[in-house]
Amino acid sequence: MSDNKFNFCPNCASKNIEYRDNKKWFCTDCGFDLYNNVASAVGAIIYDSGNKVLFEVRAKNPRKGFLALPGGFTDRDESAEDAIVRECREEIGYEISDIKYLCSFPNDYEYKGISYKTCDLFFAVKCPHECTSIDDLITKLSMEKSEVTGFASYVINSEEDIEKIPLAFKSANKALKSWLNKK
């Protein structure tokens, strides 16, 4: 059963709306279907030669104050690659390049009482050559204040290192482990 409840059909206002097949709402009066499709989101693991990774401090819920990888939801008619470049430009004020697809994981995203299912696609991005380290890169970043309240960096050499990071989302934890195991 979906966590998301509808009391009325959005098409005819009937109270005879049912959640079916764990994927859609159906109105038995007018035949209206509303699918509960998975949303796509992207994240960037921006790292340096010492395995130090860039994180943002979330400015809003869900998980305000926890750490996240730069990224966000894909827009309509946008590829995952274009989305991660745009999200990094918007959130951290930096134009990333030479992105490499890493992995994807399902995630739950709770927002204003609605539970969204997402498929989070992650990309690995080597720290740009003009920066000597992630900490050097951080000095060049500007944050989108509605999304980010600060930056952090952590050296990741083991899965234990990942477990110590106060991550906002389980998918980021899994992506960091995938990145670590592929290095």
Side-chain angles (χ1 to χ4, degrees), residues 88-107:
C88 286
R89 183 183 323 111
E90 292 173 359
E91 289 186 354
I92 66 175
Y94 203 80
E95 194 76 26
I96 61 170
S97 61
D98 196 27
I99 61 173
K100 297 198 178 357
Y101 174 77
L102 178 65
C103 59
S104 66
F105 291 101
N107 196 31

Side-chain angles (χ1 to χ4, degrees), residues 2-183:
S2 169
D3 295 336
N4 305 330
K5 309 273 189 268
F6 287 103
N7 296 320
F8 301 96
C9 171
N11 188 50
C12 74
S14 168
K15 287 189 173 186
N16 296 321
I17 190 158
E18 304 169 355
Y19 193 68
R20 292 186 172 176
D21 304 323
N22 202 31
K23 66 180 177 181
K24 72 175 181 176
W25 292 271
F26 178 75
C27 177
T28 58
D29 288 343
C30 73
F32 180 77
D33 287 318
L34 177 62
Y35 282 86
N36 189 18
N37 292 327
V38 172
S40 62
V42 292
I45 298 174
I46 303 173
Y47 65 96
D48 65 19
S49 59
N51 285 348
K52 191 173 268 195
V53 176
L54 172 70
F55 296 92
E56 353 174 289
V57 180
R58 290 184 56 79
K60 62 183 183 180
N61 282 319
R63 311 279 292 166
K64 180 179 180 179
F66 284 80
L67 299 183
L69 297 166
F73 288 100
T74 57
D75 287 342
R76 289 179 170 205
D77 300 321
E78 183 177 52
S79 71
E81 292 83 0
D82 289 343
I84 194 58
V85 171
R86 176 187 51 76
E87 284 288 346
C88 286
R89 183 183 323 111
E90 292 173 359
E91 289 186 354
I92 66 175
Y94 203 80
E95 194 76 26
I96 61 170
S97 61
D98 196 27
I99 61 173
K100 297 198 178 357
Y101 174 77
L102 178 65
C103 59
S104 66
F105 291 101
N107 196 31
D108 294 316
Y109 191 89
E110 179 87 19
Y111 183 69
K112 293 188 177 183
I114 297 176
S115 179
Y116 296 91
K117 295 292 187 181
T118 66
C119 180
D120 298 349
L121 298 101
F122 294 93
F123 296 87
V125 181
K126 180 90 166 123
C127 188
H129 295 296
E130 65 269 15
C131 298
T132 57
S133 67
I134 288 297
D135 293 329
D136 182 34
L137 176 62
I138 287 174
T139 67
K140 296 169 176 41
L141 302 179
S142 61
M143 62 188 98
E144 181 180 22
K145 293 192 186 324
S146 64
E147 299 282 334
V148 179
T149 61
F151 299 109
S153 61
Y154 285 83
V155 173
I156 298 176
N157 289 318
S158 68
E159 289 191 9
E160 292 78 25
D161 292 337
I162 296 167
E163 296 303 325
K164 293 175 187 173
I165 302 169
L167 291 169
F169 304 110
K170 292 178 185 175
S171 61
N173 179 293
K174 292 176 182 177
L176 288 164
K177 289 176 180 174
S178 178
W179 169 77
L180 181 65
N181 290 328
K182 290 180 180 180
K183 286 193 72 57

